[in-house]
Amino acid sequence: RFIEEGLGSENGVLPSLAKIDVRKARTFKAEDKELVLELMMKGESNGAVDVNEKVAGLIRGWFVETGRAVYETSEDRDDGSALENNLATLYEDLGEYHEAGTLRQRNLTNRRQTLGDRDPKTLSSIVNMASLLRAQGRLAEANPLYAEALEAHREVLGSSH
């Protein structure tokens, strides 16, 4: 249920992952707290920053693994769901561009078919696909999508929005 609500919502879990700060974490066992503090003080690390990145990475990995299992059995996987979109974002954050691209393309195709080319969710999917392509250095493919999204936003929302 947590995965469905977290990854399946339009807001997703990414804002929460960005706020992870082990210095503010509460632990249930004293040895857990000691382990975290030891890791923060170890070697030439950047202390809490490194631990925060490690914790966020582990949580992202867990979300991807668990979210993928939920997605594979989801009834709404053919309608351009938020789960599909947010799962693609997690893959992209992990640098797994092939998986992210497969999901982004499927999400865009599904949203075009179910919502139409000018729906705000479809426009968001167009920008997401373009951003993924740009991150991979595929600007020749990204630019037409950015142009399409810009034109559609102006058409739908007006040029002063």
Side-chain angles (χ1 to χ4, degrees):
R1 179 173 161 90
F2 176 71
I3 288 292
E4 290 174 7
E5 289 180 10
L7 283 177
S9 74
E10 288 302 319
N11 294 332
V13 296
L14 302 180
S16 296
L17 288 177
K19 295 177 186 175
I20 288 176
D21 187 345
V22 295
R23 293 169 294 189
K24 297 177 184 175
R26 287 183 240 150
T27 60
F28 298 104
K29 297 179 188 174
E31 58 268 22
D32 290 343
K33 183 176 182 179
E34 294 305 316
L35 176 64
V36 169
L37 291 173
E38 180 184 329
L39 288 171
M40 287 172 43
M41 304 308 285
K42 209 177 223 182
E44 297 185 26
S45 73
N46 291 319
V49 173
D50 287 346
V51 175
N52 287 341
E53 288 176 9
K54 180 75 170 170
V55 168
L58 291 170
I59 292 171
R60 274 190 190 94
W62 178 80
F63 268 116
V64 165
E65 181 180 315
T66 308
R68 187 64 186 216
V70 170
Y71 173 73
E72 292 297 334
T73 60
S74 174
E75 293 177 12
D76 65 348
R77 94 181 245 207
D78 291 329
D79 70 354
S81 68
L83 172 62
E84 184 174 64
N85 183 58
N86 292 333
L87 189 56
T89 299
L90 287 170
Y91 275 121
E92 191 172 344
D93 286 350
L94 292 171
E96 296 182 27
Y97 295 128
H98 178 74
E99 285 293 328
T102 299
L103 289 168
R104 289 265 185 249
Q105 187 59 56
R106 182 182 177 123
N107 185 260
L108 176 55
T109 299
N110 288 336
R111 284 187 172 176
R112 283 188 194 272
Q113 290 173 351
T114 60
L115 303 173
D117 287 337
R118 298 301 189 240
D119 185 90
K121 289 180 181 179
T122 303
L123 297 178
S124 177
S125 291
I126 292 169
V127 171
N128 289 341
M129 186 70 204
S131 296
L132 174 63
L133 292 167
R134 181 183 48 112
Q136 295 174 35
R138 297 164 57 187
L139 298 179
E141 295 169 77
N143 287 338
L145 290 173
Y146 280 129
E148 177 187 356
L150 178 60
E151 179 183 329
H153 273 100
R154 285 181 177 156
E155 183 181 306
V156 172
L157 302 172
S159 59
S160 63
H161 183 26

